[in-house]
Amino acid sequence: MNTWSRKRLLAAGAAGAMLAGSVAMASPAAAEPGDSADVSVTVDIEEIKEPGVLALSIAGDSVALAEDGSTLLVRQFVGTLPTVTVTDTRTTDEVPENAAWAVLGSATDFVGSAGQDPIGAGHLGWKPRLLDGGDTGLVSEGEEVVTVIDEPTQPGNNVGLVDQELLVSTFDSGAVAGGAYTVNADLFLRTPADVAAGSYTSTLTLSLFE
C-alpha cells in the first residue's frame, strides 16, 4: 500500500470515529437521582350545623312561701315561681307541621316534716304572668287557677295545681321558632285557719310538651 492510500484509510477511520461519537451524544439523558415534584391537595370542609331544639329552663329550684293576706277563716301563703324560659332554636323548616307547644304544671301534696296531716295540692293555686312573649302575639300565659277552698273566678278553675294546669303556650310553633319566651307566676297556698303548724314541702313539676 502506498503512502497516499494509507493516509486515506487513516482519514476514513477518523471520520467514522467522529460519526460514532456524534450518535452517542444524541441519546436522551437519564433522570438524575433525587429529583422531585409537588402535587397540591385541597378540600372544602363545611361547618357542622346542629339541629335546633325546643327546651325548658327554670331560674331556680325552690320557692319559700310566706304568710300574707290571711283572714280569720283562711290562711294564705304566697310566693313567686322562678322565671321559666322556653327557648326554641329551631328553624321554621325543622318544626313539625301544625305543631303547638305548652308548659303545664302540677304539684304534689304538701307533706309535713313532723308527721302533720298533708295539705292537698288542691290548696295551691297560681296566676301565670307572661314576661316576654316576643313580637308575634302568639305566645300567651295560662289562666289563673284558684284553690279548692276558693269560689271559682272562672268555670271550673277552683281545682288547684293537681293535674297539669297551663302556664304558657302557643298554638303555632313554627311562627315562634327561633325565639325565647319567659313567664313566671304568683303562687298562693290557701288553707283553713286551723291548719297544723309546722314545715311542709311539695314538689311542683313543670313539663314542656309539643
Side-chain angles (χ1 to χ4, degrees):
M1 181 181 295
N2 58 31
T3 301
W4 183 85
S5 298
R6 187 181 297 111
K7 288 181 179 180
R8 290 186 63 186
L9 181 60
L10 291 174
M18 289 179 63
L19 179 60
S22 297
V23 172
M25 289 181 64
S27 299
E32 293 294 330
D35 283 357
S36 61
D38 297 331
V39 176
S40 177
V41 180
T42 64
V43 62
D44 292 329
I45 299 178
E46 295 184 1
E47 181 181 357
I48 295 176
K49 296 180 180 179
E50 297 289 343
V53 295
L54 178 66
L56 170 74
S57 61
I58 307 173
D61 59 5
S62 64
V63 181
L65 303 181
E67 188 163 11
D68 184 30
S70 294
T71 68
L72 292 176
L73 299 177
V74 176
R75 297 186 69 176
Q76 176 173 270
F77 307 85
V78 299
T80 302
L81 181 70
T83 298
V84 176
T85 301
V86 177
T87 303
D88 193 346
T89 60
R90 300 173 297 179
T91 64
T92 301
D93 292 340
E94 292 176 314
V95 178
E97 187 176 357
N98 299 321
W101 57 254
V103 177
L104 306 178
S106 58
T108 63
D109 292 344
F110 286 79
V111 177
S113 61
Q116 313 98 299
D117 288 339
I119 301 171
H123 289 267
L124 179 66
W126 70 10
K127 186 175 183 179
R129 182 170 52 248
L130 186 65
L131 303 178
D132 185 355
D135 299 327
T136 65
L138 299 177
V139 176
S140 57
E141 73 269 25
E143 300 291 344
E144 180 181 25
V145 177
V146 296
T147 77
V148 293
I149 64 173
D150 293 316
E151 291 295 324
T153 57
Q154 296 183 44
N157 78 328
N158 62 331
V159 293
L161 301 182
V162 174
D163 185 24
Q164 295 190 334
E165 297 297 333
L166 179 62
L167 178 66
V168 63
S169 68
T170 181
F171 61 84
D172 190 345
S173 296
V176 300
Y181 310 99
T182 54
V183 63
N184 64 11
D186 297 327
L187 299 176
F188 43 86
L189 176 68
R190 293 171 181 156
T191 71
D194 61 355
V195 64
S199 178
Y200 295 82
T201 301
S202 170
T203 299
L204 175 58
T205 299
L206 301 176
S207 303
L208 172 62
F209 297 95
E210 183 174 60

